[in-house]
Amino acid sequence: VLLGATRSVPILQPGAISTGTKTVTVPTTIAAGTYYVLACADGPGTIVEADENNCLAAGTTLGVGWPDLVVTSLSAPPAIIAPGKTFSVSHTVLNQGSVTAIASTTRLYLSVDGGRSAEDILVTYTFSVPSLGAGATYTTGASVKVPATTPAGIYHLLACADDLLRVAEGVNEGNNCRTSTTTMDVRLSDLVQVSVSNPP
């Protein structure tokens, strides 16, 4: 896998040495794995040499991988609630990838079918998740409000890690959401007159 940076080397007399440092970027298309870093003099092969032994490998290897954020637990929503009312939510985010994930944001949705789609209703409260090393978890909770405009119906609660897509996760961008195992019945208030006193 060719790294994009090169270093210009001046004319070298016999026995002369040129030393330099260069910052390189690992391509986002590289497969996860363990690699040696090679430095190859006269990379284009423009100089005719008695021995073309131009490459040297670093003494240690480089592990390449991606973070992978998933919601491993999500508290159950209340069985019945009215639009505009609040309820408590807690959830846990795990970085099951092989490298550190930067800070991210978990958002909540109300979903009729339990799957993430454009029709889901966004709950305005967001959870800030700090940077997580490989294998690290973060648990947090808060009181959140059902949007006042939510239509009456039966909903699943969804918690979606890194919902703002700040963390590059390679091929694992589709496993960020977790669905509540129970549903929530959002009901509109329905006041009726049950009695009236007789007039004098």
Side-chain angles (χ1 to χ4, degrees):
V1 178
L2 179 64
L3 303 180
T6 61
R7 187 177 75 85
S8 297
V9 178
I11 295 174
L12 295 177
Q13 299 298 326
I17 294 175
S18 173
T19 301
T21 301
K22 198 74 176 181
T23 299
V24 297
T25 300
V26 177
T28 58
T29 54
I30 192 172
T34 302
Y35 295 85
Y36 286 93
V37 176
L38 302 179
C40 295
D42 186 29
T46 56
I47 300 174
V48 178
E49 303 177 60
D51 190 346
E52 296 287 351
N53 57 343
N54 292 10
C55 295
L56 179 67
T60 58
T61 56
L62 172 68
V64 176
W66 298 94
D68 185 15
L69 296 178
V70 294
V71 178
T72 57
S73 68
L74 174 63
S75 59
I80 302 174
I81 197 169
K85 298 299 183 180
T86 60
F87 65 100
S88 296
V89 177
S90 63
H91 81 300
T92 299
V93 175
L94 163 68
N95 177 12
Q96 65 180 12
S98 57
V99 297
T100 298
I102 62 173
S104 61
T105 299
T106 298
R107 294 202 293 187
L108 302 173
Y109 293 88
L110 303 182
S111 170
V112 172
D113 59 6
R116 182 74 177 89
S117 65
E119 290 75 30
D120 296 340
I121 299 171
L122 176 66
V123 177
T124 54
Y125 188 91
T126 59
F127 292 98
S128 296
V129 178
S131 175
L132 294 176
T137 62
Y138 179 75
T139 301
T140 187
S143 181
V144 302
K145 180 183 290 187
V146 176
T149 55
T150 303
I154 306 298
Y155 295 91
H156 290 271
L157 180 65
L158 266 65
C160 296
D162 187 35
D163 199 52
L164 300 179
L165 300 179
R166 297 288 188 262
V167 181
E169 300 182 64
V171 298
N172 294 323
E173 293 288 0
N175 62 350
N176 290 15
C177 295
R178 186 178 185 88
T179 305
S180 62
T181 56
T182 59
T183 56
M184 178 169 60
D185 186 355
V186 177
R187 297 184 183 180
L188 301 176
S189 299
D190 185 14
L191 301 179
V192 295
Q193 186 72 41
V194 295
S195 66
V196 61
S197 62
N198 293 322

